[in-house]
Structures are given as C-alpha cells and as structure tokens.
Amino acid sequence: MPTLPSESPAPSDPEPHRQRHIAESFGVDAERYDRARPRYPDDLIDRIATRPGLDLLDVGCGTGIAARQLRDAGCRVLGVEPDKRMAAQARRTGIETEVATFEDWDPAGREFDMVTAAQSWHWVDPVAGAIKAARILRPGGRLALFAHVIAPPQPIALAQMAAIRRLMPDSPFATQQGDGSPERAADVYRAGMTKFIDGIREAGGFGSPEEWRFDWQHSYTRAEWLDLAPTTGALTRLPQPTLTELLDEVGEAIDALGGTFTMTYVTLAVSAVREPADT
C-alpha cells in the first residue's frame, strides 16, 4: 500500500506494540509533530465529549493534539505518554501528562468516564490494554480508539513509495503493495481496528464494540506536507541526508500537481461501553 505510513511499523505487523524502537521515535522533533499533525474531526470529538466535566484519560497522548481538543470540549483530561519528549510538549500546551506505557502506568485508585487513544492504541497490547481500561472506567464509561488513514493523492503516494524502495530497501515499508488509493489504505487500517475489537471482546467487561467512520478533507501546500511527512513512522529515524533526498522527490510530485493538493482523510474509530460489574 503506497501511502504515507502512519505510526504503525508496518500494516502487516501482527504485534506492532512490540516495536518500541519505532513507537519511541516520534519524539525526535516533538514541536514539529505537534505543529504538523492533523487534528481530529469535530464530529468525532463531539461524539466522545458528550457532556461537560467528563474525567478522561488519553492513552499515548503524544504532544496532546487530541487531548487539547477534548479539553476544549469540556473534558477534564489526563494524558499518559511513554516518551518524555512528547510528554513535555503536551505539558507545555497545558495537558497534565504522566510518563509511562499504559500497561505499566499506575492509576493509583483513579477512575475515569472515558479512556481514549488517538493514533496510539496499536502501540498498546490490545488485550492487556482493554483489560486495564475496563478496570479504570466507571460503569457506563466508554473506551474510544481512533486513528487517521493518512493516504495522500496517488501521485504523491507513489513518489514516496518509489523513494522508500530506492533509499530504504530494508525498510518494512518498502515491501508494501497497492494502488495508493485512500480506500485501499482504509482497508488496511480497518484490519487494525478489527484487532482492537478482538482485544476488547477477549478482555471482557465491555458491551458490543461500535465502529465509527468520519470522512473529511484538508488542503496542503508543498511546505505543509513536507513538514508532516517526517513525523510518520516510516521516516522518523532516517538520517537527515536521506530524508532530504526523499522529501525532494515527494516535493517534485506535489509541484507537478500545482504545488498544493486536497487530502481526503478517513478517521476510523472503535468504541465500547464499560458494563456494570454484575452483568
């Protein structure tokens, strides 16, 4: 699938949560990450923040992008983030953040109305994570896991894939196949969401998982897209000369489209409600 890869080390990886070297690479430029990464659609935020004052834990909160949106929607947000650099950026933007992986994080008796994970649940063991979420959610509380499908127009996707295959032949992303279409990319991400659903069901304690989908668009200039690209899992660990060469090639593809393009985003979500203990 020649798309711009997201956090997942490779869509075919059955256990991405074990790829800590990639998971902990996003903090190399936390300010860029916070600046360039897309926000989440208002419809999704509204569906999560159903009333003011919800106590919400944001797992793998990164620099606090989703956390700030949820805070601004009236939630009381606590972030958990394993990367100290990302956590520091989140704190600078006003999000209280504790440094730990979710599996190792100590709730210290705290309970929540919501547990969310934005672009991060694939770094959490899907069963252990769901079990822990069930333990800290109040009855009737909701677990909501969501992620963007990051798939630029086909000419840009194909240009990046060609550069990855030439410059990074040993990368897991170099073996991806596909036509570069957003729907093809969405199919791959839906497979990941299926793993989340399976983990929730295996963990127990939740009602039937729901699947949500949000379609929206965002326009990018050449500079804006090339600012975002280095924050994705395929590129975060590249040496600067290699990254520069790759971005030059992607930039040429954007120039051929007139220097700007409109990205069709798909944001996918899985959600489940914590059942009362006696059900």
Side-chain angles (χ1 to χ4, degrees):
M1 179 190 68
T3 68
L4 187 72
S6 180
E7 285 76 28
S8 176
S12 60
D13 188 339
E15 294 186 305
H17 61 279
R18 300 188 185 280
Q19 303 290 331
R20 298 309 309 170
H21 61 295
I22 299 179
E24 295 171 5
S25 70
F26 299 102
V28 67
D29 192 343
E31 290 186 6
R32 179 202 290 264
Y33 188 103
D34 195 60
R35 175 180 69 242
R37 279 300 182 107
R39 275 49 184 167
Y40 294 89
D42 291 341
D43 287 348
L44 169 62
I45 299 300
D46 290 344
R47 191 172 293 193
I48 294 171
T50 54
R51 59 178 173 82
L54 288 173
D55 291 317
L56 186 148
L57 180 74
D58 192 26
V59 176
C61 71
T63 62
I65 293 171
R68 293 194 299 275
Q69 290 183 259
L70 292 162
R71 176 199 62 194
D72 294 346
C75 297
R76 293 190 291 263
V77 181
L78 172 66
V80 175
E81 167 57 44
D83 189 315
K84 293 179 180 180
R85 300 162 298 181
M86 301 285 269
Q89 180 67 23
R91 292 187 190 113
R92 282 194 288 272
T93 67
I95 299 300
E96 180 184 354
T97 307
E98 298 179 6
V99 177
T101 63
F102 183 50
E103 293 93 331
D104 294 336
W105 173 72
D106 181 6
R110 291 168 288 184
E111 293 183 327
F112 299 85
D113 300 305
M114 295 284 307
V115 173
T116 57
Q119 218 72 20
S120 62
W121 197 252
H122 53 273
W123 301 123
V124 177
D125 181 290
V127 178
I131 290 171
K132 189 158 193 174
R135 288 174 179 166
I136 64 173
L137 278 168
R138 298 181 178 114
R142 184 177 291 274
L143 173 64
L145 317 172
F146 46 97
H148 298 308
V149 179
I150 302 182
Q154 192 173 49
I156 300 171
L158 293 174
Q160 172 157 317
M161 181 53 62
I164 285 175
R165 287 173 175 162
R166 182 172 58 81
L167 298 170
M168 308 160 54
D170 297 328
S171 167
F173 297 102
T175 62
Q176 294 176 16
Q177 304 294 322
D179 60 7
S181 71
E183 278 306 314
R184 171 77 183 212
D187 287 342
V188 173
Y189 278 75
R190 275 191 287 267
M193 291 289 171
T194 297
K195 293 178 182 177
F196 299 168
I197 291 171
D198 291 343
I200 291 168
R201 287 176 172 155
E202 184 174 343
F206 289 96
S208 297
E210 305 172 23
E211 295 184 69
W212 304 336
R213 171 175 171 148
F214 305 87
D215 294 85
W216 53 288
Q217 293 184 325
H218 185 77
S219 295
Y220 285 95
T221 64
R222 182 186 199 272
E224 288 169 341
W225 187 256
L226 298 186
D227 197 31
L228 184 153
T231 73
T232 61
L235 308 183
T236 52
R237 298 178 299 136
L238 281 185
Q240 188 59 49
T242 304
L243 177 62
T244 297
E245 187 173 353
L246 185 148
L247 293 180
D248 285 345
E249 296 184 22
V250 174
E252 290 175 4
I254 299 173
D255 290 340
L257 296 177
T260 63
F261 66 93
T262 297
M263 171 97 156
T264 298
Y265 271 102
V266 177
T267 302
L268 299 174
V270 169
S271 178
V273 172
R274 176 73 168 93
E275 294 181 325
D278 58 353
T279 62

